[in-house]
Amino acid sequence: MISILYVDDEPDMLEIGKIFLEKSGQFIVDTITSAPAALTLLSSTPYDAVISDYQMPGMNGIEFLKEVRTTGNILPFILFTGRGREDVVIQALNEGADFYLQKGGEPQSQFAELSNKIRYAVLKRRAEESLRQNEAQLRQIIDLVPHMIFANDRDGNFLLVNRAVARYYNTTVAEIVGKPQARFHGNTTELRQMLDDNREVMTTGITKVIPEEPFTDASGNHHILQTIKVPITTLGNNQQAVLGVSTDITERKKSETELRGAYELITAQGEELRGQFDSMVALQKRTAESQQMLAEVLNTVPVRVFWKDVDLRFKGSNEPFARDAGLSAPADLIGKTDFDLAWREQAEMYRTDDRKVIDTGIPKIGYEEPQTGADGKRIWLRTSKIPLRDPGGTIIGILGTYEDISEYKRAEEALRESEEKFRGIFDTIHDGLHINEITPDGKPGKFIEVNEFACRMLQYTREELLAQGPLDFATGYHSRPFTDIIGELSTTGHAIFETEHRRKDGTIVPVEINNHVVSLQGKRVMVGVVRDITDRKRTEDAMRESEEKFRTVVENSLDGILIVALTGEILFGNRAAANLVDAPGTPDRIGTKNLLDFIAPESRSQVLHDLSQVAQGIDSYPMNYQAITATGRQIWVEGIGKRIQFQNSPVILISMRDITSRKHMEDAILRANKQLNLLSSITRHDINNQLQILNGFAELLRIKIPDPSFEDYFSRIIEASSQITSMIRFTKEYEEIGIHAAVWQDLQTLLNSAGKGATLGQVTLKNDLPANTEVFADPLIVKVFFNLIDNALRHGGRITTIRFSFEARNGDGIIVYEDDGEGVPEENKEKIFTRGFGKNTGFGLTISREILDITGITIKETGEPGKGARFEITVPMGVYRFANEK
């Protein structure tokens, strides 16, 4: 449903426009006769569109439009006026009018065109708003990504950046977008390479991955980025551009440097081992007599020892080596090659190393290699090989040793994975993390470690932060006394609190800190998770402001507003609600009662039913109830309810107003209508009498003057008289519509009553309407069913069956009429509801539509011509129910 505010200084024009626009059932139209009053109404009531006349006293339509746009309101505005000057049209469109429509012409077509323009303007505005929301959501997602996301055109201008880019350049997203990258990137060498890469991607149309590229931020800090750049085409101007994502891998590169240092340490250990082997060979040369002792030593040390000749055949080994080869003793090894042993799949690799040592005379010390053992399992070795020489210095083979380092490798790999996982989590988590010392008095001391997010949050490098502690950035504000926080950390080892940190540029950032005291390498330290709560604070402030505005609106509303529990207990009532029930100035009094305490017995069952419907999430429509105030005064109220969440529980929000005066006026109008109907009835009676007299004298004249030349005149008199009779009958039926209040009526009973009044003959009437299904409608709805049946019997051709059924569709109830007659031609599907159309009086379906429209029910013909008629009566949600819902 589209809500419209229609402004015109002509009340009759407002009335006509409201009738024509609301007839479609798609619009709700409020009317007002002056632009200043309309501005006041717009400030308190949301509308989907505004229709305004141009020439109005005090403030014309364009001045009204300017005022509306000045307030920032962008709702659709349509100028609907009798002035057709071109300058007025141009000015209206320049000031932001969505459409300009000149009055005049046939009303039906005029308002149909106006309806179309309203629908188009509202749908267009809603689509624009949806697009804005989607763009805002996309911007939030992009800004949450910790990596740098950017887009550049061929000239190097930034088309898009996220907050990560802005942080590195120490500025804002708004300041960067639309400006050249050269304005923010001070290192010209880096900038030149970046722009060259951009042009390459745009020229070739091929994605480029840059494993490492240097990047100097606005603070002069050096970073290493891993970047991917993708060619794109911009929307709108269809220009070439490049979209890039850069990941800061500076910390990862530092870790790789640390790993290389560890490897160098291992190499140094290998050199030391080589020295040990050299000493062993020298000892062997000097003390041949101690070979037996050496053999015992070789067999007991946890190192495998072997030696080969220049043909790479084994000449001997210690016992552990023989066991690894799957042999019982070293003697079984002599003369064999690596291809003869369990590790044959690594044999060629081993022999390659052997040849190199023999050929070059250069030892190969402390390197790692795999080996397949006799049990088929693969292990890791740390191997050393040196050339074996005779007393004359000639190389006669090689001497090798190795040790099983599989456990070490597994531990090293586990440690490396653990460190990588920890560092990955530590540096990628979207909160600041820090580990700091604890001073003797229990306060946080210097940082031991901080993550990347903490550095970005405070705008310091890791090195700068490690020289300081948390208290160096504190402003002095804490959400509770600092001594209490330190005391809690000392006694429980845990504390959560809010404070403020001062960044490097002097700006203040509110944070929430979650501190734990833990033991690290035998030393008590403090581990803190620091969360930037700037957005949360803004949200809390916005929510507080929104709640204050809501409360102000509610408290000053002219309508009574209640919040009631699903049990009926009143949880809240505004001042207007208190005044309505004669409890002025003490709205809290309402909260001590149940809603039903204020409902008159005549309306209690209806209120219980409507509350039940709303509690199930079924939206209601305005209903009238009798109520009793706190002073015992009986009044009429109009109310509408909706299920909402209040204090984390489902409740019902009710808006209501006192309509006692309106009900009295309606009663007076009803009495006046009865009197008019009485007068109309008497007049009809007298006219019918005169028509009967006219018909009688016409027939007498036909008999007295049997002249064929007068026959055509007599026929025309009789036909005109018949038409007058039909018109009189129509006025009788039409005046009964809306006389009585709408009531709930059973569908099956309605159809049975209608069927009894119809002359069905051989036609079968099937009542497939579900039992206990009721509709809220004018009591004359039974005539709708009768008219459908009668219309089919008169005009449907060779009909054998008429069927009524019911189905649910999108929350609405659909009463379906079907027959097997000739059907309705496509061009007549809407005409049949026009007064006077058809072979008989042409009033039946017209009256049917009017009867249904009283409670918002619609009817249309949807059958296929030649295959029978089909009428669908659409009953909106809340206007039908099942008996078990009462």
Side-chain angles (χ1 to χ4, degrees):
M1 192 72 74
I2 297 174
S3 60
I4 301 169
L5 178 62
Y6 186 7
V7 187
D8 198 309
D9 60 332
E10 292 288 345
D12 292 340
M13 194 65 203
L14 292 175
E15 183 179 0
I16 292 171
K18 180 178 175 68
I19 292 171
F20 272 97
L21 290 173
E22 290 186 341
K23 191 166 68 170
S24 68
Q26 298 178 354
F27 304 107
I28 297 176
V29 181
D30 288 345
T31 60
I32 198 161
T33 56
S34 75
L39 287 171
T40 302
L41 190 57
L42 283 172
S43 66
S44 60
T45 305
Y47 288 97
D48 294 318
V50 170
I51 305 170
S52 174
D53 188 18
Y54 170 70
Q55 193 69 42
M56 295 184 291
M59 180 185 293
N60 65 34
I62 293 184
E63 293 169 342
F64 174 39
L65 170 59
K66 288 181 181 179
E67 290 295 324
V68 171
R69 293 295 185 245
T70 300
T71 64
N73 197 330
I74 60 171
L75 84 169
F77 193 103
I78 298 171
L79 206 59
F80 184 46
T81 178
R83 299 293 293 271
R85 295 204 319 265
E86 183 178 350
D87 59 327
V88 174
V89 176
I90 294 173
Q91 186 181 4
L93 297 178
N94 287 340
E95 294 296 341
D98 291 84
F99 290 107
Y100 181 99
L101 187 62
Q102 188 172 355
K103 296 177 182 176
E106 194 272 317
Q108 190 76 20
S109 301
Q110 177 93 91
F111 284 99
E113 182 180 1
L114 180 59
S115 299
N116 289 334
K117 291 188 182 300
I118 295 169
R119 278 191 292 271
Y120 175 80
V122 171
L123 291 176
K124 178 173 178 290
R125 194 57 48 86
R126 289 174 178 172
E128 290 171 349
E129 181 61 26
S130 176
L131 178 61
R132 278 194 294 273
Q133 292 176 358
N134 290 339
E135 289 176 345
Q137 291 174 355
L138 179 59
R139 166 52 64 182
Q140 288 177 347
I141 293 170
I142 290 175
D143 284 338
L144 286 173
V145 175
H147 310 306
M148 290 191 282
I149 298 176
F150 57 89
N152 294 85
D153 63 14
R154 184 169 289 277
D155 296 326
N157 297 314
F158 279 117
L159 304 177
L160 166 75
V161 296
N162 68 345
R163 287 180 183 169
V165 175
R167 283 196 298 271
Y168 277 85
Y169 284 132
N170 195 22
T171 183
T172 64
V173 171
E175 183 63 26
I176 294 178
V177 173
K179 298 181 179 65
Q181 188 174 1
R183 181 177 298 185
F184 305 96
H185 204 95
N187 190 309
T188 56
T189 303
E190 294 175 355
L191 176 65
R192 187 182 305 109
Q193 184 61 49
M194 290 175 182
L195 296 180
D196 287 345
D197 291 337
N198 290 350
R199 284 189 285 270
E200 177 186 342
V201 171
M202 285 185 276
T203 301
T204 63
I206 299 174
T207 298
K208 183 171 185 177
V209 178
I210 305 169
E212 294 180 14
E213 65 174 341
F215 182 93
T216 304
D217 63 23
S219 301
N221 301 314
H222 299 288
H223 304 265
I224 300 176
L225 306 182
Q226 186 176 80
T227 302
I228 181 170
K229 294 186 176 182
V230 180
I232 62 172
T233 302
T234 60
L235 296 176
N237 57 10
N238 200 33
Q239 296 296 312
Q240 286 183 322
V242 61
L243 175 66
V245 179
S246 293
T247 303
D248 192 333
I249 60 171
T250 308
E251 292 301 320
R252 190 177 80 191
K253 294 298 293 183
K254 289 181 182 177
S255 299
E256 291 175 356
T257 302
E258 292 172 359
L259 287 174
R260 279 196 296 272
Y263 178 76
E264 291 172 358
L265 177 62
I266 294 171
T267 302
Q269 292 175 345
E271 291 292 339
E272 180 183 355
L273 182 61
R274 184 181 65 176
Q276 293 173 354
F277 279 124
D278 289 341
S279 298
M280 186 186 299
V281 173
L283 179 63
Q284 185 180 22
K285 292 178 180 178
R286 290 195 305 269
T287 56
E289 68 277 4
S290 63
Q291 285 187 356
Q292 182 61 39
M293 183 180 295
L294 176 61
E296 291 180 4
V297 171
L298 290 177
N299 290 331
T300 56
V301 296
V303 176
R304 278 61 170 169
V305 182
F306 62 91
W307 51 95
K308 300 177 183 178
D309 60 21
V310 291
D311 296 325
L312 305 183
R313 291 186 178 274
F314 285 99
K315 299 294 289 182
S317 73
N318 65 352
E319 290 180 355
F321 182 89
R323 287 195 297 271
D324 284 355
L327 303 175
S328 58
D332 298 332
L333 180 68
I334 297 174
K336 289 183 168 56
T337 68
D338 288 301
F339 288 110
D340 301 321
L341 303 178
W343 48 77
R344 59 183 59 86
E345 64 178 285
Q346 292 97 20
E348 189 58 48
M349 178 179 66
Y350 295 163
R351 290 165 67 86
T352 299
D353 291 337
D354 295 343
R355 291 191 191 97
K356 188 173 182 179
V357 172
I358 291 172
D359 293 342
T360 64
I362 300 174
K364 187 174 183 181
I365 305 297
Y367 63 94
E368 296 178 2
E369 60 184 357
Q371 182 189 81
T372 302
D375 58 0
K377 295 181 179 179
R378 175 172 288 198
I379 61 174
W380 279 92
L381 314 176
R382 181 179 289 118
T383 304
S384 294
K385 294 178 181 179
I386 62 175
L388 191 60
R389 302 177 186 270
D390 62 11
T394 302
I395 295 176
I396 60 174
I398 65 162
L399 173 67
T401 66
Y402 69 77
E403 61 178 321
D404 185 347
I405 61 168
S406 300
E407 288 298 325
Y408 168 77
K409 288 288 287 185
R410 284 192 286 270
E412 183 185 60
E413 182 65 19
L415 179 61
R416 186 179 62 80
E417 290 180 359
S418 176
E419 289 178 347
E420 287 178 355
K421 289 179 182 177
F422 170 76
R423 175 54 64 181
I425 295 172
F426 196 73
D427 280 336
T428 58
I429 193 168
H430 283 220
D431 286 321
L433 294 177
H434 60 237
I435 303 172
N436 52 271
E437 300 172 346
I438 300 177
T439 63
D441 57 358
K443 296 179 181 179
K446 280 191 175 183
F447 289 120
I448 300 172
E449 185 59 272
V450 294
N451 72 341
E452 180 66 23
F453 195 90
C455 296
R456 291 199 302 268
M457 185 189 300
L458 294 173
Q459 300 174 342
Y460 287 91
T461 65
R462 179 173 176 273
E463 290 71 22
E464 289 174 330
L465 287 182
L466 293 182
Q468 305 179 74
L471 296 182
D472 294 325
F473 308 100
T475 64
Y477 162 76
H478 293 85
S479 55
R480 49 200 176 102
F482 184 63
T483 53
D484 292 353
I485 297 171
I486 297 302
E488 186 177 347
L489 283 168
S490 300
T491 55
T492 68
H494 176 227
I496 299 176
F497 57 94
E498 293 181 8
T499 184
E500 292 176 341
H501 281 167
R502 180 174 282 105
R503 292 190 175 103
K504 191 174 186 178
D505 64 1
T507 58
I508 304 299
V509 54
V511 295
E512 179 186 74
I513 299 181
N514 188 342
N515 266 347
H516 288 265
V517 176
V518 300
S519 178
L520 183 63
Q521 297 178 346
K523 181 180 179 181
R524 290 176 74 249
V525 298
M526 198 175 291
V527 177
V529 179
V530 184
R531 176 164 294 173
D532 184 341
I533 58 173
T534 302
D535 291 340
R536 189 174 82 189
K537 286 291 187 183
R538 289 172 181 164
T539 301
E540 290 173 355
D541 292 342
M543 288 181 62
R544 192 159 41 248
E545 182 180 351
S546 176
E547 288 175 359
E548 290 175 358
K549 289 180 180 177
F550 169 76
R551 179 167 291 278
T552 301
V553 170
V554 169
E555 285 297 341
N556 292 279
S557 172
L558 297 178
D559 288 340
I561 296 176
L562 296 177
I563 297 177
V564 302
L566 300 185
T567 58
E569 178 188 358
I570 299 175
L571 306 176
F572 169 80
N574 69 345
R575 187 173 290 104
N579 292 336
L580 191 146
V581 296
D582 292 340
T586 57
D588 290 342
R589 276 182 54 191
I590 303 177
T592 64
K593 291 181 175 290
N594 191 287
L595 176 66
L596 295 178
D597 295 340
F598 294 102
I599 304 300
E602 298 90 333
S603 296
R604 191 160 295 174
S605 62
Q606 184 64 52
V607 170
L608 286 171
H609 167 265
D610 293 344
L611 286 176
S612 173
Q613 292 287 93
V614 175
Q616 297 174 54
I618 302 173
D619 289 344
S620 67
Y621 54 91
M623 291 289 291
N624 299 338
Y625 312 102
Q626 287 183 270
I628 300 175
T629 70
T631 60
R633 184 170 58 91
Q634 188 155 336
I635 61 174
W636 278 93
V637 297
E638 180 181 68
I640 185 170
K642 186 172 182 63
R643 175 175 167 145
I644 63 169
Q645 287 292 118
F646 178 70
Q647 297 178 347
N648 298 321
S649 298
V651 297
I652 299 174
L653 174 68
I654 298 175
S655 177
M656 60 184 182
R657 61 181 57 173
D658 188 339
I659 60 167
T660 306
S661 298
R662 192 182 81 189
K663 290 294 289 186
H664 291 163
M665 292 175 60
E666 289 174 353
D667 290 342
I669 292 172
L670 186 60
R671 287 193 297 272
N673 278 340
K674 287 182 178 179
Q675 293 173 346
L676 290 173
N677 289 342
L678 176 61
L679 176 62
S680 176
S681 175
I682 294 171
T683 303
R684 276 197 307 274
H685 178 268
D686 292 342
I687 293 174
N688 282 329
N689 286 341
Q690 296 302 315
L691 285 173
Q692 189 171 0
I693 293 170
L694 176 64
N695 291 338
F697 280 116
E699 186 61 29
L700 288 175
L701 281 175
R702 176 185 284 175
I703 296 171
K704 289 283 187 180
I705 311 174
D707 188 342
S709 62
F710 292 114
E711 186 62 30
D712 181 57
Y713 297 119
F714 285 123
S715 297
R716 291 188 182 183
I717 293 173
I718 297 301
E719 182 180 351
S721 175
S722 176
Q723 287 293 326
I724 294 173
T725 301
S726 297
M727 293 176 185
I728 294 300
R729 189 181 304 118
F730 172 76
T731 61
K732 181 180 185 304
E733 295 178 351
Y734 196 81
E735 74 178 11
E736 295 176 357
I737 299 174
I739 289 180
H740 303 287
V743 293
W744 290 101
Q745 302 171 72
D746 183 80
L747 285 178
Q748 275 193 351
T749 303
L750 287 172
L751 181 56
N752 290 336
S753 299
K756 290 178 183 178
T759 306
L760 293 170
Q762 300 300 315
V763 177
T764 301
L765 177 62
K766 290 186 177 181
N767 189 344
D768 291 337
L769 295 169
N772 301 320
T773 303
E774 299 177 347
V775 293
F776 189 70
D778 188 285
L780 288 178
I781 191 174
V782 67
K783 197 167 188 64
V784 175
F785 289 86
F786 174 81
N787 284 342
L788 289 173
I789 297 171
D790 184 64
N791 197 60
L793 296 174
R794 290 177 181 271
H795 312 301
R798 301 174 65 180
I799 292 178
T800 63
T801 304
I802 297 174
R803 176 175 177 264
F804 283 82
S805 60
F806 184 88
E807 62 185 61
R809 187 186 303 160
N810 298 326
D812 296 332
I814 310 296
I815 303 171
V816 180
Y817 162 93
E818 298 170 290
D819 65 42
D820 57 358
E822 297 175 355
V824 179
E826 195 68 39
E827 66 273 12
N828 292 341
K829 288 183 179 292
E830 187 60 31
K831 291 180 181 178
I832 58 176
F833 296 101
T834 304
R835 184 166 64 89
F837 180 83
K839 302 174 184 177
N840 196 32
T841 65
F843 296 144
L845 292 179
T846 302
I847 291 177
S848 296
R849 177 170 277 185
E850 294 287 345
I851 293 171
L852 296 173
D853 189 57
I854 289 176
T855 53
I857 304 173
T858 61
I859 181 172
K860 63 180 178 179
E861 206 285 332
T862 62
E864 186 176 345
K867 294 186 178 181
R870 175 186 172 92
F871 290 86
E872 291 187 0
I873 301 174
T874 302
V875 187
M877 181 185 296
V879 188
Y880 71 93
R881 70 183 184 186
F882 302 102
N884 56 9
E885 294 179 349
K886 292 182 182 179

